[in-house]
Amino acid sequence: LIELRNSRAMDEARPTSGSQAHGLVPLFPPGLQAIYGECRRLYPDQANPLQVTAIVKYWLGGPDPLDYISMYRNVGCPSQDIQEHWHYVSFGLSDLYGDNRVHEFTGTGGPSEVGETAPPTWPAELMQGLSRYVFQSENTFCSGDHVSWHSPLDNSESRIQHMLLTEDPQMQPVQTPFGTVSFLQIVGVCTEELQAAQQWNGQGILELMRGVRIAGGPWLITDMRRGETIFDIDPHLQQERVDQGIEAEGSNLSGVSAKCVWDDLSRPPEDEEDSRSICIASQPRRLSDKDTEQIRETLRKGLEFNTKPALPPISGPRQNHDRPQSRKDSLESESSSAIVPHELVRTRQLESVHLKFNQESGTLLSLCLRGRLLHGRHFTFKSINGDTAITFVSSGVEGAFATEEHPYAAHGPWLQILLTEEFVEQMLSDIQELNTHEESKLPKEYSWPEKKLKISVLPDSVFDNPLQ
């Protein structure tokens, strides 16, 4: 379930439910009943909250995956200086019915929270948008994840244009006949806060926001009128904490969807017999299902890390098929061993490569190098325009098919690049201008001839219109 808390002054009388709660009949869907039970525990006097419902349910062909979104009036907590607000709780990311009409298997879900005199409808629209992403991508949300939205969440002129996810401060996980349902809260953040979460981790930034009342306070209430970031409020202290966190812990983000491509400069592109070039305008061979699943796991697990990062060999089945309780910083595959054998796709060593990124992806190169590789980890850019993927690995990552002897290796359209610590330090110095997060003149070219590596940062139009 996902949920959101929205802040605004509420000076009118609390609406009454209009009737007393009635007992639930046995035919009431058990997943829905379990979530309603937790809502009744938290809001015993709001048996019939205002509710947004999908007119045509997703399982009947409708566009909105969430069956219902309930809106509860939360009184806050005066002793903790937490203001009154609206609390939005969604129903539909978890299995409500248990008959496979939507979910083939049960995963965790969570709710969202937001408040006003009358509840605004933008949170419901936002939550439906996020749920569509979950259903279409088959990814799941976890506490600490971030969502780059690039637009005011309420379609206003607000600086709150992105989201972080965390555990709800009041709602407890519930057991249903189909598994455990957890409640995740959406927290609206500014661009600078999102970038800090990417460079460090979402939980660290959320903890800083809990200590600043106007940024959300202990319950992380989203106030779309907020005009200051946590760095505007306390520029030196907050930035110092983020820098210390990055230095000590690195970044928890191990992959992003991006606008990127790569070219093999080792052979001329007209070599059709065994072309190693993955060009923007060409049709790359598709990733195998297992490679795709490995990269998806990187993005899905990207906000957790393990003390021993590892890339298991991409050939051969996993020895342990038990799903771990916590996400690990690896490219582990959840796919079965029955997938097409990997020996049918040859791993190739490349002599020279050219990487191309749009500006937003280019600004994450510093995160990749400083926050990941210098801490012995890996980082993946997965193209949003196709199957191309670029994974940077450090010498400490086990199981990679790129090695110090052959630092550039490709498996279909999946490229791995192994960088030594010394080369990472050199690259960080050379691409320092990309760290500003400000619009700059493009294209930008960076080249290391002795390493046979070239990086270009190009306008979005190059990736949006690849045939031009």
Side-chain angles (χ1 to χ4, degrees):
L1 293 179
I2 55 173
E3 53 175 74
L4 187 140
R5 296 178 186 264
N6 180 39
S7 166
R8 188 170 175 181
M10 296 187 284
D11 47 17
E12 293 186 1
R14 179 190 301 267
T16 60
S17 64
S19 64
Q20 297 297 318
H22 297 284
L24 299 175
V25 298
L27 293 179
F28 198 77
L32 199 61
Q33 182 176 5
I35 299 170
Y36 273 138
E38 176 62 12
C39 293
R40 286 197 304 273
R41 180 193 69 79
L42 190 58
Y43 301 106
D45 58 342
Q46 298 182 60
N48 296 303
L50 294 172
Q51 192 171 75
V52 174
T53 182
I55 297 176
V56 180
K57 298 296 187 282
Y58 191 76
W59 37 274
L60 292 176
D64 299 322
L66 301 178
D67 284 10
Y68 313 100
I69 299 172
S70 293
M71 296 169 279
Y72 294 94
R73 200 159 193 165
N74 191 298
V75 297
C77 182
S79 64
Q80 297 183 50
D81 198 22
I82 297 172
Q83 59 189 320
E84 193 173 1
H85 57 276
W86 289 103
H87 186 183
Y88 294 68
V89 180
S90 69
F91 301 78
L93 282 187
S94 60
D95 195 343
L96 303 178
Y97 306 98
D99 55 8
N100 291 328
R101 68 181 70 182
V102 175
H103 298 274
E104 294 183 4
F105 62 90
T106 299
T108 58
S112 295
E113 321 181 0
V114 206
E116 306 195 1
T117 301
T121 58
W122 66 261
E125 297 170 3
L126 180 71
M127 295 162 77
Q128 289 287 14
L130 288 177
S131 66
R132 281 190 287 271
Y133 162 78
V134 170
F135 276 69
Q136 292 167 8
S137 68
E138 300 182 3
N139 291 333
T140 56
F141 288 131
C142 293
S143 180
D145 284 355
H146 76 267
V147 180
S148 303
W149 201 250
H150 300 289
S151 177
L153 304 188
D154 61 350
N155 297 315
S156 66
E157 299 298 319
S158 174
R159 292 184 67 180
I160 309 297
Q161 301 188 9
H162 309 281
M163 290 164 274
L164 296 177
L165 300 176
T166 188
E167 297 91 349
D168 182 79
Q170 290 185 291
M171 303 190 76
Q172 302 298 316
V174 297
Q175 292 290 336
T176 79
F178 320 120
T180 302
V181 177
S182 300
F183 295 84
L184 288 180
Q185 179 179 335
I186 299 169
V187 182
V189 297
C190 302
T191 298
E192 295 84 350
E193 293 157 351
L194 172 79
Q195 291 168 350
Q198 291 174 327
Q199 296 288 337
W200 181 21
N201 61 66
Q203 296 290 12
I205 299 304
L206 289 167
E207 191 58 37
L208 294 181
M209 293 178 66
R210 288 187 179 96
V212 181
R213 181 184 181 278
I214 65 173
W219 289 6
L220 294 170
I221 300 169
T222 297
D223 186 348
M224 295 303 296
R225 301 166 300 172
R226 175 162 70 97
E228 294 180 302
T229 72
I230 57 175
F231 304 106
D232 295 330
I233 297 167
D234 192 350
H236 300 296
L237 181 60
Q238 306 290 23
Q239 188 60 55
E240 182 180 349
R241 290 178 179 174
V242 173
D243 291 340
Q244 290 173 348
I246 296 173
E247 186 69 26
E249 306 166 13
S251 173
N252 281 10
L253 183 66
S254 64
V256 293
S257 297
K259 293 184 178 180
C260 63
V261 292
W262 63 270
D263 293 332
D264 174 16
L265 302 182
S266 309
R267 290 193 176 187
E270 61 270 15
D271 183 356
E272 298 291 342
E273 194 66 29
D274 183 24
S275 175
R276 302 181 180 186
S277 179
I278 307 297
C279 301
I280 299 178
S282 68
Q283 293 295 324
R285 84 184 82 181
R286 292 188 59 81
L287 286 168
S288 71
D289 290 343
K290 192 167 184 180
D291 286 345
T292 299
E293 187 65 20
Q294 287 182 339
I295 294 172
R296 176 181 292 163
E297 283 300 294
T298 300
L299 304 183
R300 184 161 61 195
K301 300 178 180 182
L303 290 169
E304 295 287 340
F305 68 92
N306 189 16
T307 57
K308 187 180 181 182
L311 286 158
I314 56 176
S315 59
R318 294 176 61 191
Q319 299 302 314
N320 181 6
H321 295 283
D322 295 332
R323 185 176 180 88
Q325 293 301 312
S326 61
R327 301 185 300 169
K328 296 185 292 184
D329 178 31
S330 67
L331 291 182
E332 293 179 336
S333 170
E334 298 288 335
S335 55
S336 79
S337 57
I339 293 198
V340 177
H342 280 268
E343 52 268 22
L344 297 181
V345 180
R346 185 164 55 88
T347 298
R348 297 159 289 131
Q349 282 76 45
L350 315 180
E351 294 296 324
S352 178
V353 294
H354 182 191
L355 313 181
K356 302 174 184 178
F357 301 94
N358 73 333
Q359 183 163 20
E360 182 180 6
S361 302
T363 61
L364 296 177
L365 285 171
S366 177
L367 178 160
C368 165
L369 300 174
R370 178 189 175 204
R372 298 293 299 177
L373 269 66
L374 286 182
H375 290 264
R377 302 171 188 161
H378 59 80
F379 191 90
T380 295
F381 292 91
K382 172 65 177 70
S383 173
I384 63 174
N385 294 327
D387 287 326
T388 300
I390 302 169
T391 296
F392 291 86
V393 299
S394 66
S395 300
V397 174
E398 300 174 355
F401 46 82
T403 65
E404 291 193 23
E405 183 181 0
H406 299 288
Y408 311 131
H411 197 78
W414 182 9
L415 174 68
Q416 284 189 12
I417 298 179
L418 188 146
L419 302 177
T420 63
E421 183 175 340
E422 181 182 5
F423 189 25
V424 169
E425 296 283 7
Q426 179 185 346
M427 291 179 66
L428 280 170
S429 176
D430 293 341
I431 67 171
Q432 192 171 2
E433 62 181 333
L434 293 177
N435 299 340
T436 61
H437 298 286
E438 297 176 358
E439 293 293 331
S440 56
K441 188 176 181 180
L442 299 178
K444 289 185 178 297
E445 304 283 346
Y446 304 92
S447 181
W448 298 269
E450 71 284 0
K451 299 292 186 179
K452 299 182 180 180
L453 175 64
K454 181 179 179 181
I455 294 178
S456 298
V457 181
L458 307 171
D460 279 1
S461 58
V462 174
F463 302 88
D464 297 335
N465 303 289
L467 300 181
Q468 293 185 358

